[in-house]
Amino acid sequence: MTKVGAIASIESLPHGSLLLRKSAEKAVLAPALAAYEAFVKAVSALEIKDDASVIQLVGAFNAYRRAAIPIFEAGKNVPQENLRSTMMEELYAWLFKDIFELLEIDQPLNFKLGKSTSSYVSLTFAPHNFASIFNDPNPRIAKKDQDFAIGATFQLTIQPEGGESPIKSGILIPIVAIECKTYLAKNHLDMCASTAASIKTAAPYCMYVVSAEFIKMDKGVFPELTDISEIFVLCRAKNGDRKKRRDAGLPPHDIHADLICDLFNRVIGHLRSIWWDPDSALKSGRVIQRPF
Amino acid sequence: MTKVGAIASIESLPHGSLLLRKSAEKAVLAPALAAYEAFVKAVSALEIKDDASVIQLVGAFNAYRRAAIPIFEAGKNVPQENLRSTMMEELYAWLFKDIFELLEIDQPLNFKLGKSTSSYVSLTFAPHNFASIFNDPNPRIAKKDQDFAIGATFQLTIQPEGGESPIKSGILIPIVAIECKTYLAKNHLDMCASTAASIKTAAPYCMYVVSAEFIKMDKGVFPELTDISEIFVLCRAKNGDRKKRRDAGLPPHDIHADLICDLFNRVIGHLRSIWWDPDSALKSGRVIQRPF
């Protein structure tokens, strides 16, 4: 299996590596692999363009989750753990695979979908000394990791005027960023709030979403004071409930399809909007038009 | 007359245009032009490398000031007004003309000294919409004007990966920035404080100095809370005193040479320092080494 819509290749997905695993892990992972193959087969055939197809996708994903999570959560600090924490990253890659067909735009060469390690935050300069600044201004190109991003990639070049040795760095300008947490606790929220603030300074039209399956927070937190566009609690449950079910050998909570539909529609609405354009501002009577 | 040390050409200086003026203005400006020519002749012969030569430079400058200021201040909203407000910019170009000889460094091609309209502050992105971001991420390269700067110029390029149409912009990374005010009032201080904060975010090793000839501020201001490295009051007088002398037909206050020596030595010390270098931090036991 290779490319599906905007997905570079199935092997590049968080759970695509299941298809490549052999030997020692195979026995433990076999039921998860079988469930993943069934999931991939089902959703590769879908065109994700409306609520009905999103609901089908979430249904197939919940089936995969029910088979795989008990296996992924059985061990600690083993490769399976990493697979557990990337469940949602896997879903989002499938959720947005058909955006170019839906928006009727050709997919550009510098389009990127998936995990990002180079989301642009800021460019500053800390030269070593006067003599060296002219050839090497020591740029600090700050970048953030993101669990899932939709964005455009660029090469940033800083070239001394009249000189010959440019400094180059690849950056992603995120349009949608999704931070994925199995459960959201206060310290995670603080980190997400800090990332949201720096991302929105650099790219104010980036939609920044926190996707949590569960939450573990009390009244002493203030998500409304952050730059986070929305926090979804996809299982509509507390982390304590997750553990109770797990310890009782019960199947995990399902992801609620209506929340994924809402996220999908908000993202598509964002991708269809005009963000910043003085002429449109005159027509619409609104200048800033923030994502939401 | 053309290049003198690090000065690109005398005609490029704020008051160099005096040499080119003809006809109508000539009669009014004649005594100022004569004084400027005497000043240029005297200081072109100086090597500005120590306190003694700085004191000679300031002496020659004060002689020019005494002849020129009564003429420059006689009119309002005429070309002479602009000459009055750029007296100090003129001095600083001469003050730092021999820094490369003094520091024993070859002058690089991308060295810049004088007025700046492109001091780099920040790079952010405000794309118009999803379809256009891939070719045009609409970068906002924020730049500040500075009355006088010592810095290095670079070309900043943003190129779509795999694409062909780069976006280019010239920037100056300032090493020393001097804001020149005939007199410093509260609203000027607020603007300087805002500029200092944004410049130091982008280039933390930039020395940011406010050069005022006079002040017009009371106790209700808080310069110590700003990122301004130092504010000099070069005439050690209030703006009210300046007006009293002018209205009485007395010569203007002189610039105090000891303050220019102090500024000169601080700048040279800054240009001789190591700014950011993990290895030197181990030797010196100090990591940040701010300008002052």
Side-chain angles (χ1 to χ4, degrees), chain A residues 100 103 105 108-111 120 123-131 133-134 137-138 151-162 170-171 173 175 201-204 271 273-276, chain B residues 100 103 105 108-111 120 123-131 133-134 137-138 151-162 170-171 173 175 201-204 271 273-276:
Chain A
F100 288 99
L103 298 169
I105 300 170
L109 287 171
N110 59 334
F111 170 75
Y120 171 78
L123 169 64
T124 57
F125 296 91
H128 300 300
N129 56 37
F130 182 66
I133 186 175
F134 301 97
N138 196 25
T153 57
F154 295 88
Q155 185 86 262
L156 197 64
T157 305
I158 297 141
Q159 164 105 38
E161 283 200 345
I171 58 169
I173 302 175
I175 298 158
T201 302
L271 300 186
S273 310
I274 287 165
W275 300 332
W276 165 232
Chain B
F100 288 100
L103 298 169
I105 301 170
L109 287 170
N110 59 334
F111 171 75
Y120 172 78
L123 170 64
T124 57
F125 296 90
H128 300 298
N129 56 38
F130 181 65
I133 186 175
F134 301 99
N138 196 24
T153 57
F154 295 88
Q155 185 87 259
L156 196 65
T157 305
I158 297 141
Q159 164 106 39
E161 283 199 347
I171 58 168
I173 301 174
I175 299 158
T201 302
L271 300 186
S273 310
I274 287 165
W275 300 331
W276 166 233

Side-chain angles (χ1 to χ4, degrees), chain A residues 135-146:
Chain A
N135 270 318
D136 176 17
N138 196 25
R140 178 179 176 246
I141 301 165
K143 302 175 192 181
K144 290 271 181 192
D145 293 350
Q146 283 168 341

Side-chain angles (χ1 to χ4, degrees), chain A residues 224-236:
Chain A
E224 74 280 11
L225 296 179
T226 71
D227 287 315
I228 299 166
S229 303
E230 185 55 279
I231 299 171
F232 287 100
V233 187
L234 298 168
C235 293
R236 289 196 171 100

Side-chain angles (χ1 to χ4, degrees), chain A residues 6-290:
Chain A
I7 298 171
S9 72
I10 292 179
E11 290 78 5
S12 72
L13 293 176
H15 292 201
S17 67
L18 269 173
L19 302 170
L20 305 170
R21 300 206 187 191
K22 303 267 177 223
S23 65
E25 291 180 292
K26 210 174 172 181
V28 177
L29 290 174
L33 174 58
Y36 185 64
E37 285 178 322
F39 167 69
V40 168
K41 192 176 172 191
V43 298
S44 295
L46 291 175
E47 279 213 306
I48 312 290
K49 294 192 174 177
D50 53 19
D51 282 5
S53 51
V54 172
I55 290 166
Q56 282 185 282
L57 168 65
V58 176
F61 184 66
N62 278 328
Y64 169 46
R65 263 177 112 252
R66 281 192 290 269
I69 282 185
I71 297 165
F72 294 163
E73 290 192 349
K76 283 222 174 217
N77 300 317
V78 289
Q80 293 94 296
E81 263 294 288
N82 195 37
L83 288 165
R84 171 64 185 94
S85 69
T86 55
M87 294 291 319
M88 294 308 303
E89 299 169 28
E90 178 76 22
L91 177 65
Y92 293 132
W94 291 100
L95 183 64
F96 297 111
K97 75 182 175 72
D98 295 320
I99 50 175
F100 288 99
E101 285 80 359
L102 184 56
L103 298 169
E104 297 178 340
I105 300 170
D106 288 337
Q107 185 171 327
L109 287 171
N110 59 334
F111 170 75
K112 175 92 197 296
L113 169 151
K115 211 175 190 69
S116 162
T117 56
S118 60
S119 293
Y120 171 78
V121 166
S122 67
L123 169 64
T124 57
F125 296 91
H128 300 300
N129 56 37
F130 182 66
S132 70
I133 186 175
F134 301 97
N135 270 318
D136 176 17
N138 196 25
R140 178 179 176 246
I141 301 165
K143 302 175 192 181
K144 290 271 181 192
D145 293 350
Q146 283 168 341
D147 293 331
F148 181 84
I150 293 174
T153 57
F154 295 88
Q155 185 86 262
L156 197 64
T157 305
I158 297 141
Q159 164 105 38
E161 283 200 345
E164 284 183 19
S165 46
I167 297 160
K168 292 187 178 193
S169 185
I171 58 169
L172 176 104
I173 302 175
I175 298 158
V176 174
I178 307 181
E179 205 71 46
C180 298
K181 299 286 175 199
T182 301
Y183 64 91
L184 187 72
K186 185 181 183 305
N187 62 331
H188 304 145
L189 178 67
D190 291 345
M191 284 178 62
C192 290
S194 160
T195 303
S198 54
I199 288 285
K200 290 225 175 175
T201 302
Y205 290 99
C206 176
M207 181 186 283
Y208 185 93
V209 171
V210 175
S211 152
E213 294 168 59
F214 302 88
I215 50 168
K216 186 183 173 183
M217 296 195 298
D218 58 20
K219 285 186 181 168
V221 298
F222 303 93
E224 74 280 11
L225 296 179
T226 71
D227 287 315
I228 299 166
S229 303
E230 185 55 279
I231 299 171
F232 287 100
V233 187
L234 298 168
C235 293
R236 289 196 171 100
K238 292 195 171 183
N239 196 47
D241 298 331
R242 177 178 77 96
K243 288 183 175 169
K244 274 182 206 158
R245 283 215 193 176
R246 183 192 62 194
D247 297 345
L250 294 170
H253 296 75
D254 276 351
I255 297 296
H256 286 238
D258 65 307
L259 294 173
I260 301 297
C261 286
D262 182 23
L263 173 60
F264 178 76
N265 290 320
R266 290 202 204 190
V267 168
I268 298 302
H270 177 46
L271 300 186
R272 283 203 165 119
S273 310
I274 287 165
W275 300 332
W276 165 232
D277 175 24
D279 294 338
S280 311
L282 280 182
K283 265 186 228 152
S284 84
R286 295 169 188 85
V287 167
I288 297 188
Q289 316 218 50
R290 294 200 195 283

